[in-house]
Amino acid sequence: MHYDYLIVGAGLFGATFAYEMKQAGKTCLVIDKRSHIAGNIYTEKVCDIDVHRFGAHIFHTSNKDTWDYVNRFAEFNNFVNSPIARYKDELYNLPFNMNTFSKLWGIATPAEAQEKIAEQIRELHITDPKNLEEQALSLVGTDIYEKLIKGYTEKQWGRDCKDLPSFIIRRLPVRFTYDNNYFNDRYQGIPVEGYTAMVEKMLGDTEVLLETEYKDFVARTSDTFGKTLYTGMIDEFFDYKLGNLAYRSLRFETETLIGEENFQGNAVVNYTEREVPFTRIIEHKHFAFGKQPDTVITREYPANWTPGDEPYYPVNTSETAELYTKYEAMAKEKKDVLFGGRLGQYKYFDMDKTIEAARQMAQDEL
Ligand code: UDP
């Protein structure tokens, strides 16, 4: 068989690209080494609850066109992410907002909160934040940094906040209103039927081969392909020729609690102290306002990544940026291979940005 595209990876990037190409009359074959589609947004039912197997995914975007696009493939519920942060016995609202500040300092007005933060950062003399620590301190001051950011971030990334880029913390809003919505985006929600069903719809009748490793497959197939879209790790594609990029992995410990209706009263509870080994516990039913008699919870443990482990996050530092630039140059030389997604482009993409990047790539191809 001849296909216009071989798409490696049945995650969100690959599925979006496959959909676009199919619409344009191109033929695609999708392969994935895992036993399921949807990559890390994969969901499956346990006790009638949609379980986010590889971590919580909440779709959010400010782009109306992207929102309309995903709504072609799924009906979204009206879930709004409002995580709770737990530091020892203290509970705070996230993102950092007036509820957080008032609990922390016993204050009531935005002016009081701003004064408190200003007082804390005055003596630090940070003018141009150079890393995550300086960025966090200059946004929210010492108390919040120490209780809600430092421990969480260092266990999440396995390195010191001084060695992490500041953009990571700028993902989180800081607000002087009593608004616990984690995201600033205009549109937000979770597919009522789960993400797997959404990706299934995107893939439609495109042929998908699961449990199929790219390198084994190309070595043995007699099929031919116009081009390949590779959504795996770019350094792996090139056999780590120039060295390894850094990734962060995760380990999920999922428990079904039969007969327990409500374990923590919220979808996401972050454990921000360094001593607790997991970063968060998610209680899946609350993503969908579930009323089931049982519940399913997942503890998320950050983990070192070594070859063979599942990579979840690129670790963007100045060294990895430099190495990635070299791989990117090699990729450009390979005219018949495209690289896409968090792993292919080595970028901390959210789902909306993943879809936008895949649609753009498809448009450029056509
Ligand atoms: N973060 C933090 N404390 C929290 C939650 C997040 O310090 O309670 C920081 C941490 O550095 C994390 C970053 O904010 O890596 C981004 O968090 P987000 O929730 O966007 O991460 P994701 O859900 O993508 O893992």
Side-chain angles (χ1 to χ4, degrees):
M1 263 298 276
H2 177 80
Y3 298 87
D4 295 317
Y5 289 91
L6 169 64
I7 298 174
V8 184
L12 193 55
F13 196 102
T16 304
F17 187 84
Y19 175 81
E20 290 298 316
M21 286 308 174
K22 181 79 190 305
Q23 290 296 101
K26 305 288 181 194
T27 51
C28 300
L29 174 66
V30 178
I31 62 169
D32 198 296
K33 64 179 174 188
R34 293 182 175 184
S35 59
H36 58 80
I37 59 163
N40 286 341
I41 63 174
Y42 177 70
T43 50
E44 66 179 345
K45 287 255 192 256
V46 177
C47 293
D48 199 33
I49 296 164
D50 262 320
V51 170
H52 297 217
R53 263 298 161 214
F54 306 101
H57 284 85
I58 301 122
F59 190 87
H60 56 97
T61 188
S62 288
N63 185 331
K64 170 117 186 4
D65 185 46
T66 304
W67 181 243
D68 291 341
Y69 188 79
V70 289
N71 276 273
R72 288 192 212 167
F73 309 106
E75 185 194 336
F76 280 73
N77 71 14
N78 59 341
F79 178 78
V80 169
N81 194 25
S82 303
I84 296 292
R86 191 164 168 165
Y87 176 77
K88 302 188 172 160
D89 291 329
E90 302 165 29
L91 295 178
Y92 296 98
N93 289 108
L94 290 176
F96 312 120
N97 72 83
M98 285 305 297
N99 290 302
T100 329
F101 308 142
S102 115
K103 182 92 178 260
L104 196 56
W105 300 313
I107 50 94
T109 67
E112 289 171 307
Q114 273 154 343
E115 178 43 33
K116 197 85 192 165
I117 292 172
E119 198 181 286
Q120 297 193 358
I121 60 180
R122 210 164 287 142
E123 53 251 50
L124 300 169
H125 306 294
I126 300 167
T127 43
D128 169 29
K130 282 178 202 54
N131 54 50
L132 196 152
E133 176 170 291
E134 293 184 2
Q135 178 73 74
L137 284 168
S138 62
L139 284 173
V140 289
T142 326
D143 287 347
I144 291 187
Y145 176 67
E146 294 294 337
K147 288 189 170 180
L148 302 181
I149 298 176
K150 189 172 163 41
Y152 185 97
T153 300
E154 295 192 344
K155 65 186 170 182
Q156 164 76 2
W157 295 98
R159 52 186 81 201
D160 201 280
C161 287
K162 290 192 194 69
D163 302 326
L164 286 165
S166 51
F167 83 84
I168 292 179
I169 199 69
R170 285 199 307 268
R171 290 169 59 83
L172 306 191
V174 179
R175 297 193 190 109
F176 294 91
T177 54
Y178 286 90
D179 175 4
N180 292 329
N181 184 348
Y182 199 61
F183 303 113
N184 277 330
D185 287 318
R186 174 134 178 227
Y187 309 101
Q188 182 172 175
I190 290 176
V192 174
E193 302 297 330
Y195 286 101
T196 307
M198 179 178 100
V199 172
E200 215 164 61
K201 210 154 170 203
M202 296 178 104
L203 290 168
D205 58 6
T206 298
E207 212 181 313
V208 181
L209 301 176
L210 295 173
E211 296 178 321
T212 304
E213 281 268 4
Y214 169 66
K215 281 183 183 159
D216 299 343
F217 177 73
V218 288
R220 66 180 156 79
T221 186
S222 52
D223 293 338
T224 53
F225 306 95
K227 268 191 181 180
T228 297
L229 163 65
Y230 190 79
T231 70
M233 295 150 58
I234 187 166
D235 54 345
E236 182 185 39
F237 181 90
F238 291 110
D239 299 315
Y240 307 104
K241 230 172 260 164
L242 307 175
N244 286 57
L245 288 165
Y247 300 92
R248 197 68 179 146
S249 193
L250 297 171
R251 184 169 61 81
F252 298 101
E253 229 173 65
T254 298
E255 245 185 285
T256 302
L257 307 174
I258 299 291
E260 184 157 351
E261 213 189 304
N262 189 3
F263 172 77
Q264 63 182 14
N266 203 39
V268 183
V269 178
N270 289 1
Y271 286 74
T272 58
E273 63 193 278
R274 188 72 190 82
E275 290 67 33
V276 176
F278 44 85
T279 47
R280 47 193 165 191
I281 301 184
I282 62 177
E283 187 169 10
H284 302 268
K285 69 191 309 176
H286 298 310
F287 287 118
F289 318 102
K291 297 278 181 287
Q292 300 86 346
D294 312 308
T295 197
V296 182
I297 60 165
T298 301
R299 291 184 180 80
E300 188 172 319
Y301 295 81
N304 275 329
W305 177 88
T306 48
D309 297 338
E310 209 55 70
Y312 287 91
Y313 299 90
V315 183
N316 296 106
T317 62
S318 48
E319 297 94 79
T320 59
E322 200 176 305
L323 183 54
Y324 171 68
T325 307
K326 292 182 186 152
Y327 276 120
E328 200 186 15
M330 282 174 81
K332 282 216 178 81
E333 294 299 305
K334 281 203 96 56
K335 301 283 180 237
D336 56 344
V337 185
L338 306 163
F339 292 84
R342 252 195 205 196
L343 304 175
Q345 289 171 260
Y346 200 64
K347 208 162 167 194
Y348 193 171
F349 278 132
D350 283 337
M351 287 183 281
D352 59 333
K353 298 292 179 248
T354 303
I355 289 172
E356 286 159 20
R359 290 178 74 190
Q360 186 59 53
M361 184 178 278
Q363 230 174 53
D364 293 345
E365 279 301 292
L366 299 165

